[in-house]
Amino acid sequence: MAVEVVMPKLGMAMKEGTVSIWNKGVGDPVEKGEAIASVSSEKIEIDVESPAEGTVLKITVPEGEGVPPGTVICYVGIPGEEVAAALAVEEAQKPEVENVGPANEKQEPITSVKTARNRVKISPVARKIAEAANLTIENIKGTGPGGRITKEDVEAAIKNSSSPQAEEKKETVETPVKPIEETQQIPVSGIRKVIAGRMYDSLQKTAQLTINMKADVTDLIALQKQIAQTVQNRYDQKLTVTDFIARAVVLSLQKHREMNSAYIDDKIHLFKNVHLGMAVALEKGLVVPVIRDAENCSLIDLSRNIKTIAQKARQAQLNLEEMQGSTFTISNLGAYGVEHFTPVLNPPETGILGVGAVYDTPTYIGENLERRSILPLSLTFDHRVLDGAPAAAFLQTIKQYLEEPITMLL
């Protein structure tokens, strides 16, 4: 008997998985353990391996279609072998189609008999005048109660149809119209579908507010350059501005616990540990891998973890554990030249920090005008959890750490 290949369950909360691509088609031979298809759910995409050697007999779920976990997506077996389960399902569905079909066929002629004229609300006098003038009553707008067409409406339509402007319109209508250019339609599935749903829910179910601030990171960049060689020699690691920002966020979250929280079931959950989400842009969409217990990481550890999860994300090697449970997220668009932007919350988190591109600008330091490096910061927070003042205080703390970077090394 043919072997069933089912949609795997990629997590306890998974409700639907999508077949991203079929690596094999019907009739293709397949080895046991060979990747037969790619499926995705909750921002994770994995290969589904064939449980047996044989031939792909039947594909039951096409590319781009989502189904619940446990659903049979294809059958593998010996060529010519019956797909019993599939045939049983098809046979079970046939009576329903056959029973419904004739009923529909009998109803269609009845529906077609009911012409549009019988459905239009129009007074008997108005109908008589319209028929005498050869007017199509469906094109007449009624001004009477409930949209009923009155005598006056028909007379107005007759007047308009005999006017020079109406004649010009008739000629225009008769002129061949250039067909509308066809557009490419891309089905929303996989990671893109998950992102679309999460972002829509985020904006619909939270009270989001974004505040902006600028940090002078001139001294931070100088410190980064100063210790670069030492860090490279001792830890074989390169510290980036993003690493310092992540460290500043973790330290600030420990001082402002209300930001390291989530609004769930009308309760504010304050988290003791900081599980830092770092948004990573991929070709297929945005993913947010998580650094767990980030408060226990040194600056070097944090830098190493950021680079590791980013690399795993780009190589599609993240597991479900590394994609869930973040308590705060950082989204950096600085590499694209963006300054301030409005990041969208990653629910159920209370806050997300948007990081823009560093730019140089002349700034007065006391009486002296100096060239300083400025970093734009955008904090989006859930107003249901905290107000503007405490959110601003949290952002101010991040600013202080970035402007006094030595404090992050102590």
Side-chain angles (χ1 to χ4, degrees):
M1 181 178 176
V3 179
E4 298 177 346
V5 181
V6 302
M7 174 65 69
K9 189 173 181 62
L10 306 180
M12 294 299 296
M14 175 180 170
K15 296 181 180 179
E16 183 182 274
T18 302
V19 178
S20 304
I21 188 172
W22 280 106
N23 300 324
K24 298 287 184 178
V26 175
D28 290 346
V30 61
E31 299 290 333
K32 182 178 181 180
E34 185 177 0
I36 197 169
S38 294
V39 299
S40 60
S41 176
E42 290 297 321
K43 302 183 181 180
I44 295 179
E45 186 161 342
I46 66 168
D47 290 332
V48 175
E49 299 178 352
S50 176
E53 180 182 353
T55 300
V56 179
L57 302 178
K58 185 179 181 68
I59 292 177
T60 57
V61 179
E63 290 183 3
E65 183 172 319
V67 293
T71 303
V72 178
I73 60 175
C74 77
Y75 293 88
V76 174
I78 301 172
E81 187 176 16
E82 289 188 3
V83 184
L87 293 175
V89 172
E90 290 177 358
E91 290 298 326
Q93 291 176 345
K94 280 183 179 179
E96 296 180 6
V97 175
E98 290 172 359
N99 290 338
V100 174
N104 288 342
E105 290 175 3
K106 291 178 181 179
Q107 291 172 1
E108 281 184 9
I110 297 174
T111 303
S112 62
V113 170
K114 294 181 180 179
T115 62
R117 190 182 79 167
N118 293 329
R119 294 194 296 268
V120 176
K121 295 180 180 180
I122 184 171
S123 68
V125 176
R127 182 188 297 277
K128 197 170 184 179
I129 298 174
E131 290 177 349
N134 292 323
L135 291 180
T136 303
I137 59 175
E138 292 91 338
N139 298 332
I140 303 174
K141 184 177 180 181
T143 59
R148 186 182 181 88
I149 300 174
T150 64
K151 174 184 175 183
E152 290 74 17
D153 297 329
V154 176
E155 290 176 344
I158 294 174
K159 183 178 180 180
N160 292 334
S161 63
S162 60
S163 64
Q165 292 84 353
E167 293 300 324
E168 291 179 7
K169 289 182 180 179
K170 288 181 181 179
E171 293 178 4
T172 305
V173 172
E174 292 173 0
T175 303
V177 180
K178 184 178 180 180
I180 300 175
E181 184 178 353
E182 292 186 2
T183 59
Q184 181 184 4
Q185 297 183 6
I186 303 174
V188 179
S189 60
I191 293 178
R192 186 74 262 159
K193 185 176 181 180
V194 173
I195 294 174
R198 287 177 64 86
M199 293 299 97
Y200 179 80
D201 288 343
S202 175
L203 291 171
Q204 292 294 316
K205 298 178 181 179
T206 59
Q208 301 191 25
L209 179 65
T210 302
I211 56 177
N212 301 313
M213 194 173 289
K214 298 176 182 178
D216 187 336
V217 292
T218 307
D219 295 341
L220 186 152
I221 293 175
L223 176 64
Q224 176 197 14
K225 294 178 180 179
Q226 181 181 344
I227 64 176
Q229 194 59 52
T230 301
V231 172
Q232 182 67 41
N233 294 338
R234 182 174 299 182
Y235 302 103
D236 191 24
Q237 189 75 23
K238 180 181 178 181
L239 288 178
T240 66
V241 173
T242 299
D243 299 333
F244 282 97
I245 294 171
R247 178 64 174 164
V249 167
V250 172
L251 293 174
S252 300
L253 287 171
Q254 291 180 286
K255 291 186 176 182
H256 302 267
R257 288 191 61 206
E258 65 273 26
M259 188 61 72
N260 191 47
S261 64
Y263 191 96
I264 305 173
D265 297 330
D266 294 328
K267 293 181 181 179
I268 299 173
H269 297 249
L270 298 178
F271 301 109
K272 179 180 179 181
N273 301 101
V274 177
H275 304 314
L276 187 64
M278 299 294 296
V280 179
L282 304 178
E283 182 179 351
K284 294 184 178 180
L286 188 72
V287 296
V288 185
V290 182
I291 300 173
R292 296 194 170 276
D293 304 317
E295 76 280 1
N296 296 328
C297 298
S298 65
L299 178 60
I300 297 297
D301 293 334
L302 200 56
S303 173
R304 185 178 293 112
N305 288 336
I306 291 173
K307 292 174 177 60
T308 299
I309 62 172
Q311 182 178 9
K312 292 180 69 175
R314 296 186 180 97
Q315 296 176 350
Q317 296 178 348
L318 291 170
N319 57 48
L320 194 61
E321 292 290 327
E322 295 170 315
M323 298 286 290
Q324 294 180 338
S326 57
T327 59
F328 188 91
T329 297
I330 296 176
S331 179
N332 193 337
L333 293 181
Y336 300 93
V338 175
E339 293 184 6
H340 290 292
F341 62 102
T342 304
V344 179
L345 286 177
N346 184 23
E349 296 173 13
T350 293
I352 178 172
L353 181 69
V355 180
V358 176
Y359 63 92
D360 291 341
T361 185
T363 306
Y364 276 102
I365 305 297
E367 296 296 326
N368 300 321
L369 189 63
E370 300 182 10
R371 178 175 178 172
R372 309 294 292 183
S373 297
I374 305 300
L375 174 68
L377 301 172
S378 304
L379 174 68
T380 296
F381 63 95
D382 193 339
H383 217 318
R384 298 177 302 170
V385 177
L386 71 167
D387 298 325
F394 167 73
L395 193 55
Q396 182 66 36
T397 301
I398 296 177
K399 172 184 169 73
Q400 290 175 352
Y401 276 119
L402 295 176
E403 293 185 342
E404 301 174 19
I406 194 65
T407 59
M408 290 188 279
L409 304 179
L410 299 177

